[in-house]
Amino acid sequence: MVHYHRYHQPRKAATDEESQNLVLDCSSSAYCKRTRPKLLSFLFLITFLSCCYVLAPLFLGPSFSLSLLYSPGTENDGNQDGVDVIVPKCSPVPRGTICCDRSGYRSDICVMRGDIRTNSASSSIFLYTTKSMKNVSRDVKVRKGEEDEQLQHEKIKPYTRKWETSVMDTIDELNLISKRVNLGTFGGCDVLHDVPAVFFSNGGYTGNVYHEFNDGIIPLYITSQHFNKKVVFVILEYHNWWMMKYGDIISHLSDSPPIDFRGDNRTHCFPEATIGLRIHDELTVDSSLMKGNKSIVDFRNLLDQAYGPRIRGLVHDEERKAQEKLREQVSSSPSLEISQLEHVKQQVQENPWKKPKLVILSRKGSRAINNENLIVKMAEEIGFLVQILKPERTTELAKIYRVLNASDVMIGVHGAAMTHFMFLRPGSVFIQVVPLGTSWAAETYYGEPARKLGLKYIGYEIHPKESSLYEKYDKNDPILRDPTSINKKGWEYTKKIYLDSQNVKLDLRRFRKRLHRAYEHTLFKSKRKLQHQPM
């Protein structure tokens, strides 16, 4: 399940519209008199700045440009669409230095550049400079007679839930140590790499598909995609099952096999290292923070590339088995001509594509749809071809991707499995059933990210009568009437009551309206696609 530990944004200042309303409210003459001098002063300031900007080239020369008026933290980066890209702190980093950005709420990021060497036994990454080199980042006074001089020592836990103390306490910590040493006094490299490294942890909530994508895979894409696969991943708390599950994606982010930091005691040497992963928001990529304005759609395109070969292999195997079955039928039924069998086969293959495909991600246990069979029947009556998908923890992701990538609509009850909305093609429909007590989480973790991916998102918030909790509690109980008050008591209450002890029985009349909206959307999308096809 998703852990609803989320920081609270500070209250935003009044918007421009609100500010204008305050200034222009002349309900009292005294107030208007007080605001006029401020308005005149403001107009004078604007006029003065405008004149300075117009006359500046005469005094400052042609190098002066509008870009000087922007924050030094942004640059255009040569993007054709002219969208400014915010350059992160510690990018780039001078050789021989360690730079750490601890300003983010979600994660810390450190960058090292120079002669970098790993030492897993001491949980350390060393950055060496020789005494003949000029030290530009020294923050410790030199002590006479010392052979090795420690210049800088940083500590970091490379996991993307920095604000959540309980889980961060379980994450291994790394020592980043910069030293100035005599030439030839430090050991050699067991493995010399000529490309940068990215260090990150696979601890914490790894094992939950939402956290695997939100806390790991997407931040890994954000942090490493600009290396164009010329990068080595060094993993703390390495899991073989994780590599089997996400190996297809990892191979499209790096040309090199990942390194198990704890399991590989050799000294690995790198010219540059990033420790920690950058993360933007829930299941998304902020294009303004990415080189080349990459977005969550680009990440989804990467999934297409990663799973494409495996899916084509699955299709090939199915076609081969179908041909074998066909030959067996022909041999057992001589009177049945091959042409007839081919016709039957073709009909079976073509008919499904005449109807829009709807996939229901079925749950067992908590938050299951108790009248799922009636939902299936109703969807089929509307005109959908319905498929029930029951993903298990061990289900191969390529198989899930294949089903959802070929579907038009996905339905599911709020939970970690909703992460699979990313497998839908942009323009598809995602219907999330929202149980009692999960409205904020459903919108924050899946609804908003789905829209950013370009999906048609439809949230279906159940009424108390549609919850199995209606049979356990009095109809006036706050659990049914005021879930927000229960959630304020803490995560343990939300989990115990709304996540672990609630199933849903959908109101067919209400839910039919959502299905009709989804059906009309798919028909409109199909017609528009046909109109744009070349004649």
Side-chain angles (χ1 to χ4, degrees):
M1 68 187 67
V2 178
H3 293 75
Y4 300 166
H5 295 278
R6 175 79 181 271
Y7 61 93
H8 295 286
Q9 296 282 6
R11 181 181 178 88
K12 293 183 178 179
T15 61
D16 291 340
E17 183 178 354
E18 292 171 337
S19 301
Q20 290 172 3
N21 290 337
L22 292 174
V23 173
L24 297 178
D25 183 8
C26 294
S27 58
S28 67
S29 59
Y31 181 82
C32 287
K33 290 179 181 178
R34 285 197 299 269
T35 58
R36 285 193 189 107
K38 294 181 179 179
L39 180 60
L40 292 174
S41 299
F42 177 74
L43 292 174
F44 175 77
L45 178 61
I46 292 297
T47 304
F48 175 75
L49 291 175
S50 300
C51 292
C52 290
Y53 177 71
V54 172
L55 298 175
L58 299 176
F59 301 98
L60 300 177
S63 60
F64 178 85
S65 68
L66 186 62
S67 63
L68 296 179
L69 299 178
Y70 287 93
S71 167
T74 62
E75 65 174 17
N76 183 276
D77 199 40
N79 296 305
Q80 294 180 355
D81 54 9
V83 177
D84 288 333
V85 175
I86 301 173
V87 178
K89 184 180 176 182
C90 300
S91 177
V93 174
R95 181 175 174 82
T97 62
I98 302 175
C99 176
C100 289
D101 181 2
R102 303 187 188 275
S103 62
Y105 191 93
R106 293 170 176 261
S107 65
D108 290 334
I109 302 290
C110 291
V111 180
M112 311 168 72
R113 187 165 178 261
D115 187 349
I116 299 167
R117 308 189 179 208
T118 63
N119 188 295
S120 59
S122 62
S123 299
S124 301
I125 307 173
F126 291 99
L127 173 62
Y128 290 117
T129 59
T130 62
K131 289 189 176 182
S132 60
M133 293 176 60
K134 183 179 180 180
N135 177 34
V136 295
S137 65
R138 184 174 179 182
D139 58 4
V140 178
K141 291 184 179 180
V142 178
R143 301 178 197 171
K144 294 181 180 180
E146 282 191 351
E147 291 186 358
D148 294 349
E149 299 164 4
Q150 182 171 301
L151 307 176
Q152 191 175 354
H153 187 174
E154 302 283 349
K155 293 179 178 290
I156 184 173
K157 293 185 176 184
Y159 191 62
T160 55
R161 299 188 78 82
K162 171 184 169 182
W163 78 92
E164 196 172 341
T165 305
S166 59
V167 72
M168 291 303 291
D169 287 342
T170 69
I171 302 299
D172 291 345
E173 188 173 60
L174 288 175
N175 297 293
L176 313 183
I177 301 173
S178 173
K179 284 188 174 184
R180 193 172 73 165
V181 298
N182 289 321
L183 188 63
T185 60
F186 47 94
C189 301
D190 295 321
V191 184
L192 181 62
H193 303 271
D194 59 358
V195 297
V198 172
F199 291 73
F200 65 95
S201 174
N202 256 344
Y205 295 131
T206 300
N208 173 292
V209 68
Y210 164 81
H211 290 287
E212 286 166 6
F213 271 96
N214 186 71
D215 304 341
I217 296 297
I218 295 178
L220 187 61
Y221 170 80
I222 291 171
T223 307
S224 67
Q225 63 85 31
H226 68 283
F227 290 121
N228 296 318
K229 301 177 68 174
K230 304 303 179 184
V231 62
V232 177
F233 297 141
V234 185
I235 306 175
L236 283 72
E237 297 192 54
Y238 184 100
H239 304 292
N240 289 323
W241 65 261
W242 186 87
M243 274 306 304
M244 291 180 64
K245 187 174 183 178
Y246 295 105
D248 291 334
I249 299 176
I250 298 302
S251 65
H252 279 75
L253 290 175
S254 171
D255 287 331
S256 305
I259 296 171
D260 178 358
F261 183 75
R262 296 295 180 196
D264 189 340
N265 294 322
R266 295 176 297 176
T267 299
H268 291 266
C269 299
F270 301 96
E272 182 181 336
T274 300
I275 301 91
L277 300 179
R278 303 186 187 279
I279 180 172
H280 295 162
D281 207 341
E282 310 299 335
L283 296 175
T284 196
V285 177
D286 185 343
S287 60
S288 70
L289 301 175
M290 298 291 289
K291 184 177 181 180
N293 299 123
K294 300 291 186 181
S295 68
I296 189 63
V297 175
D298 295 290
F299 173 77
R300 200 222 174 256
N301 292 338
L302 178 76
L303 298 184
D304 254 344
Q305 299 169 18
Y307 293 128
R310 174 57 178 156
I311 291 174
R312 287 191 290 272
L314 292 171
V315 172
H316 177 75
D317 291 342
E318 291 175 1
E319 291 177 347
R320 178 178 53 79
K321 291 179 181 179
Q323 291 174 357
E324 292 176 355
K325 185 177 181 179
L326 185 63
R327 285 193 292 267
E328 291 175 0
Q329 290 177 340
V330 171
S331 61
S332 61
S333 304
S335 59
L336 191 62
E337 295 182 2
I338 295 181
S339 59
Q340 292 176 310
L341 290 174
E342 288 291 347
H343 176 71
V344 172
K345 178 183 175 184
Q346 184 177 0
Q347 287 294 106
V348 171
Q349 291 178 338
E350 290 181 353
N351 282 337
W353 299 106
K354 293 181 180 179
K355 296 181 177 181
K357 184 178 179 182
L358 181 149
V359 175
I360 299 177
L361 263 67
S362 182
R363 293 182 63 97
K364 59 182 179 180
S366 65
R367 284 166 285 155
I369 302 177
N370 290 338
N371 57 344
E372 186 175 85
N373 59 328
L374 297 179
I375 300 297
V376 171
K377 182 179 179 181
M378 183 170 63
E380 290 175 339
E381 290 173 352
I382 290 174
F384 286 108
L385 176 71
V386 181
Q387 179 177 351
I388 301 295
L389 182 62
K390 299 180 179 181
E392 301 288 343
R393 185 181 294 271
T394 57
T395 303
E396 186 180 354
L397 284 182
K399 293 181 178 179
I400 301 175
Y401 190 88
R402 179 189 177 189
V403 173
L404 293 176
N405 185 55
S407 68
D408 300 286
V409 182
M410 181 184 104
I411 296 176
V413 182
H414 171 70
M418 295 302 95
T419 306
H420 295 117
F421 77 77
M422 293 188 297
F423 294 1
L424 294 168
R425 300 185 309 273
S428 302
V429 181
F430 169 32
I431 302 177
Q432 181 178 203
V433 177
V434 183
L436 295 180
T438 66
S439 298
W440 178 87
E443 170 63 21
T444 301
Y445 296 124
Y446 304 113
E448 184 179 349
R451 296 187 193 95
K452 291 178 180 178
L453 183 59
L455 302 181
K456 170 70 173 179
Y457 174 71
I458 300 175
Y460 179 82
E461 294 194 22
I462 70 168
H463 289 169
K465 289 185 178 180
E466 296 174 87
S467 171
S468 60
L469 299 176
Y470 194 78
E471 302 171 359
K472 299 180 181 180
Y473 299 92
D474 182 83
K475 63 180 181 179
N476 293 317
D477 194 299
I479 287 176
L480 299 177
R481 295 302 180 190
D482 189 14
T484 301
S485 66
I486 305 300
N487 288 333
K488 288 180 179 178
K489 293 182 177 181
W491 159 248
E492 63 275 10
Y493 287 91
T494 299
K495 182 179 185 298
K496 181 180 179 181
I497 297 172
Y498 296 120
L499 299 180
D500 294 344
S501 305
Q502 180 178 197
N503 288 336
V504 298
K505 185 177 181 180
L506 305 186
D507 182 322
L508 298 182
R509 184 176 179 180
R510 287 185 65 220
F511 197 70
R512 178 183 288 271
K513 296 178 181 178
R514 271 64 171 188
L515 290 181
H516 273 296
R517 284 171 57 189
Y519 188 75
E520 291 170 359
H521 177 83
T522 56
L523 291 183
F524 176 77
K525 186 181 68 172
S526 298
K527 290 179 181 178
R528 188 171 56 182
K529 184 177 180 180
L530 290 173
Q531 291 173 354
H532 288 82
Q533 285 183 349
M535 299 299 291

